[in-house]
Each structure stands twice: as C-alpha cells, then as structure tokens.
Amino acid sequence: MNILVTGASSGFGKSICQRLVAEGHYVVGFARRAEKLEVLKEQLGELFTPIVCDVADFASIDKAFSEVPEGSIDVLVNNAGLALGLEGMQNLAVSDWTTMINTNINGLVYFTQKVLPTMIAQNSGLIINMGSIAGTYPYPGGNIYGATKAFVKQFSLNLRTDLLGTQVRVTNIEPGLCGDTEFSNVRFKGNDDKAAKVYENVKYIMPEDIASTVSFLVSQPTHVNYNRIEMMPVSQASAPLAVHRQK
C-alpha cells in the first residue's frame, strides 16, 4: 500500500513508519525536521520518502503535496500533534493555544481534504486520525489540547458520515498515557525533569503499541470500519469526578 504519515520524524510517527515499511508498504513521511527525516530515510531505504512539511502551515502542506509521488493514496495517518503547557486557560499563552489549534485541528483537516479527492475517485482508502483520551476525559490544564482532540473525535465520526456510500474508511485512535516520545518534553518546553515525572514508576503505552494498532487497521478487510479505538496502559483508568469541598 501507499501510505502517508504526518509527524513522521519521532515518537508515534517514527514507529509507525518503521512498522509499515517492515511490512512492505511504501511510506511517505512528513515532518518539520529534515535532519531526523534523513536519518529515518537511511534506515528505511527505498520504501520511505521523506518530505519536509509544517502541518500548521497550509502553504507548507501545499508544497509538500506537490512532492508526493504520483499514484494511489491508500492510507493517510494524521499523526502530527502536540500539547503546550499545563496551565489553566486563564494563564495559557495565546501563542500556545493557537499553535495547538493550528496543528491538531487545522493541519489535520487540511491534510485530510488534500487526500479525499483521490480516495473518493478510486473508491478506496483509509484515514487514521490520532486522537487522545483527552478528547473524552478532562483533566486540569488539558483545556485547549483536550478540546482539539474532542474535535478530532467528532470530525472523524462526521467525516465517515460524509463518506457513506464510498469505500473510504475513517478511524480515530485515542491513546492514553504513552511514553518514549517527545510529547511531554514539548508540552513542558524542554524541561526534561518535569517531563520524566509524568512517566515515573508507570508501565505506559509505547510508540510500538500505537504502530501495532495502525498496522492492525491497515490489514483489516475493506468492508470493516473501526470508528474509534480507545487504548490505555493497564496502569491507567478514567478518574472519578472531582468534587471541591468548602472548608
């Protein structure tokens, strides 16, 4: 299959590319950091094409698609996304919430719209969006990030409704606590000690687990659609509702 993966240079995206290439798929990986993409290219060889792209920038996406080799697009993995900060909304920097919205929502939607004409014309295809349990379960400081992932969840369901009558499928993967990525390091803006505390003494989900889930979806019969896949480590569960008690 011909598969496009955003956020390909590290974390989930890197593992997804490695897994899919190992299974014999041709993968185009999009990411901002050219040097990391080149390292991945050296590792994966001819079945991997790196393209530098900032998913928060529509002009960058347009340029990136002009570099995609011609042919069918069988799968799009909208993996690129980020969280910035863990402050209450009243203290969240404007630049942080605009970056999250531009990346997690606008970029994902624009990438999706770019592949839809080809998928509809060939009457086949699979769009895999990377959501989060944060789109279902709120937590302090999750404000904008959680809202963007709630958007991804509902957008995925509505997109599948738009595509009813075609053979184009849509799935939203909603992971819980995942480690061995740059997610928390980015959220805490390079404070590695603070990021490490998030995963302390926890057996968390790994990027390889996400890649395995993507591989599973790609391998499914074309008449089967998985609307949502929510996954957590065994060490995590949805919390009870918080109650503030007056003193």
Side-chain angles (χ1 to χ4, degrees):
M1 290 189 183
N2 297 324
I3 301 176
L4 312 186
V5 179
T6 68
S9 63
S10 65
F12 295 172
K14 180 180 177 181
S15 287
I16 291 166
C17 291
Q18 290 170 329
R19 175 68 179 255
L20 295 176
V21 166
E23 293 174 347
H25 301 290
Y26 174 71
V27 177
V28 178
F30 301 88
R32 289 180 297 110
R33 294 175 291 185
E35 67 282 0
K36 286 187 174 290
L37 283 175
E38 285 306 317
V39 171
L40 197 55
K41 170 65 176 177
E42 290 175 8
Q43 177 190 106
L44 299 182
E46 294 304 311
L47 286 178
F48 180 75
T49 295
I51 297 179
V52 175
C53 176
D54 181 355
V55 302
D57 183 335
F58 287 180
S60 179
I61 295 173
D62 288 339
K63 181 177 183 298
F65 264 85
S66 72
E67 300 174 29
V68 173
E70 290 188 10
S72 66
I73 299 173
D74 301 304
V75 182
L76 168 65
V77 182
N78 275 317
N79 167 71
L82 79 167
L84 291 172
L86 203 58
E87 299 85 6
M89 184 63 205
Q90 68 276 17
N91 298 316
L92 187 65
V94 172
S95 59
D96 285 349
W97 61 257
T98 54
T99 298
M100 284 187 276
I101 290 172
N102 287 337
T103 304
N104 300 355
I105 294 179
N106 294 339
L108 179 144
V109 171
Y110 199 53
F111 250 96
T112 300
Q113 192 173 54
K114 296 290 276 189
V115 305
L116 280 177
T118 299
M119 289 186 172
I120 291 171
Q122 68 195 20
N123 198 31
S124 67
L126 170 61
I127 296 170
I128 300 173
N129 294 326
M130 198 60 62
S132 169
I133 64 167
T136 302
Y137 309 107
Y139 59 86
N143 40 70
I144 295 297
Y145 175 71
T148 64
K149 293 304 184 178
F151 174 93
V152 172
K153 175 171 63 177
Q154 194 62 31
F155 173 70
S156 300
L157 293 171
N158 277 296
L159 179 60
R160 180 66 196 99
T161 303
D162 286 348
L163 294 167
L164 187 64
T166 76
Q167 295 300 303
V168 182
R169 297 170 292 154
V170 184
T171 300
N172 186 35
I173 300 177
E174 302 171 17
L177 183 64
C178 301
D180 287 359
T181 73
E182 298 176 354
F183 179 82
S184 290
N185 306 79
V186 172
R187 163 168 262 172
F188 296 125
K189 301 176 182 178
N191 188 331
D192 294 340
D193 291 337
K194 193 171 183 179
K197 289 287 184 184
V198 175
Y199 310 102
E200 197 170 66
N201 301 321
V202 176
K203 190 172 179 61
Y204 42 74
I205 289 175
M206 308 280 284
E208 293 80 6
D209 300 321
I210 303 299
S212 176
T213 304
V214 170
S215 172
F216 165 79
L217 291 169
V218 169
S219 70
Q220 293 306 291
T222 57
H223 68 281
V224 177
N225 191 86
Y226 288 81
N227 296 328
R228 297 172 55 202
I229 297 180
E230 180 183 290
M231 51 195 296
M232 297 183 187
V234 175
S235 55
Q236 185 180 37
S238 55
L241 293 175
V243 176
H244 174 70
R245 301 187 186 281
Q246 296 180 336
K247 295 182 178 179

